[in-house]
Amino acid sequence: MGFSTSAHILMALVLGTWGLVSKQSFAREKIGSIGTDPMLVFLTAGSVLTLLCLSGCVGALRENRTLLKLFSAALLLLITAQVLTAIVAYGLQDQVVGYLRSGMLAAMVRYQDDLDLRFITDEIQSNLQCCGADNYRDWELNIYYNCSAPGVLACGVPATCCVDPLENGTVWNSQCGLGAQLLDEFSAQSVIFLGGCLGGISRWIEQHEGLIGTVAIVVVGVQILTLFITSRLLESIRWHNLSHAVHPEPHFMDAFLHFCIKGENVHYFAV
């Protein structure tokens, strides 16, 4: 965690704040839903990590034991939180799936109103080749894709649900999912993906569980190594302070007076 990392995090904070401001998320009519804005999550995490990095960097450069202790305590808390989160997530898989389902359904409801949620939903559906949370009919929860809606999107699904959203392989066809909810599953399977994204996420995790575990171990390992180095630095600073307290450097005038009075060679200035 060096100065370059802190600079990158600060840059992300500035960009995140700019994103919230440009979307007018602080406007009176939108302030009530700012708690569900994905940008707010990144801003909060970035702020905490920035303070953590700065406390460690400044503490190490200035040999400030208070800042280093704060950094060590925060890092230990972060490591503990990550380990506990992993244990709880593994032990409560059904509840985690329930939270994911609720979050994805909420994102689908606000799909047309929030650009961030729309982008995340589109990325999940296109990359995992899925549609909706459990199946493609979940899109009826959206007021624009609901079959009772007056617009052209009624009974449709987003283009990212389509099996082939590119017309003639080159042009993006944003209307390929229109009327898909009116089709039976046999007819719809040639037009859109029928499976929900929760199943796709589960399959992706199962296929990449080795990579996920390796990355998690490396990240936690680096944090533990950083905590060990910080503790050694604290110990070094403590012993350095104690050595100066036990063997303080003599004042120049004291050495000079001793030389004049005693007339002897003085060996005060030990290295």
Side-chain angles (χ1 to χ4, degrees):
M1 292 187 177
F3 281 117
S4 60
T5 304
S6 301
H8 291 154
I9 296 175
L10 286 173
M11 187 180 297
L13 288 174
V14 172
L15 291 175
T17 305
W18 173 82
L20 287 175
V21 173
S22 64
K23 292 193 307 176
Q24 298 181 345
S25 298
F26 298 106
R28 181 176 299 179
E29 61 273 12
K30 295 183 179 181
I31 195 69
S33 60
I34 193 174
T36 59
D37 196 311
M39 296 298 294
L40 188 64
V41 176
F42 293 119
L43 281 175
T44 303
S47 300
V48 173
L49 290 176
T50 298
L51 292 175
L52 182 60
C53 287
L54 288 177
S55 65
C57 291
V58 175
L61 289 175
R62 303 297 299 176
E63 297 186 357
N64 189 306
R65 298 186 70 223
T66 302
L67 287 178
L68 288 175
K69 287 181 179 179
L70 177 63
F71 175 75
S72 299
L75 189 57
L76 179 61
L77 183 63
L78 180 63
I79 295 172
T80 305
Q82 290 173 134
V83 173
L84 289 178
T85 300
I87 294 174
V88 171
Y90 183 80
L92 303 176
Q93 296 183 36
D94 293 337
Q95 288 87 335
V96 172
V97 172
Y99 288 131
L100 287 176
R101 177 180 287 105
S102 300
M104 188 157 192
L105 292 176
M108 292 167 61
V109 169
R110 298 179 54 201
Y111 178 79
Q112 300 287 354
D113 304 320
D114 192 301
L115 295 178
D116 290 326
L117 294 178
R118 181 173 183 171
F119 173 78
I120 294 172
T121 303
D122 284 341
E123 286 295 306
I124 292 175
Q125 290 189 150
S126 60
N127 290 320
L128 297 180
Q129 298 183 346
C130 56
C131 188
D134 295 306
N135 56 64
Y136 67 101
R137 297 192 184 277
D138 290 336
W139 280 104
E140 193 170 357
L141 295 172
N142 186 282
I143 60 174
Y144 299 99
Y145 291 111
N146 188 281
C147 289
S148 61
V152 295
L153 297 178
C155 275
V157 294
T160 50
C161 286
C162 295
V163 174
D164 186 16
L166 296 178
E167 188 175 345
N168 299 324
T170 56
V171 182
W172 180 264
N173 182 10
S174 61
Q175 299 182 346
C176 61
L178 295 183
Q181 294 184 50
L182 296 174
L183 303 174
D184 59 81
E185 290 190 0
F186 181 78
S187 302
Q189 66 181 349
S190 61
V191 181
I192 61 173
F193 301 113
L194 303 183
C197 293
L198 291 177
I201 293 174
S202 298
R203 288 190 297 272
W204 186 89
I205 292 176
E206 290 176 358
Q207 294 171 359
H208 299 85
E209 58 183 5
L211 177 62
I212 295 173
T214 301
V215 172
I217 292 173
V218 170
V219 170
V220 175
V222 170
Q223 293 173 351
I224 293 175
L225 179 62
T226 303
L227 184 61
F228 173 76
I229 294 174
T230 305
S231 64
R232 297 297 299 173
L233 180 58
L234 277 169
E235 188 71 11
S236 176
I237 294 173
R238 187 176 74 87
W239 279 107
H240 182 265
N241 293 339
L242 285 176
S243 64
H244 276 273
V246 175
H247 304 290
E249 293 184 4
H251 194 273
F252 174 77
M253 288 303 298
D254 291 338
F256 180 74
L257 290 174
H258 187 275
F259 176 82
C260 293
I261 295 173
K262 299 292 185 179
E264 300 172 353
N265 292 329
V266 182
H267 302 283
Y268 266 77
F269 299 96
V271 178

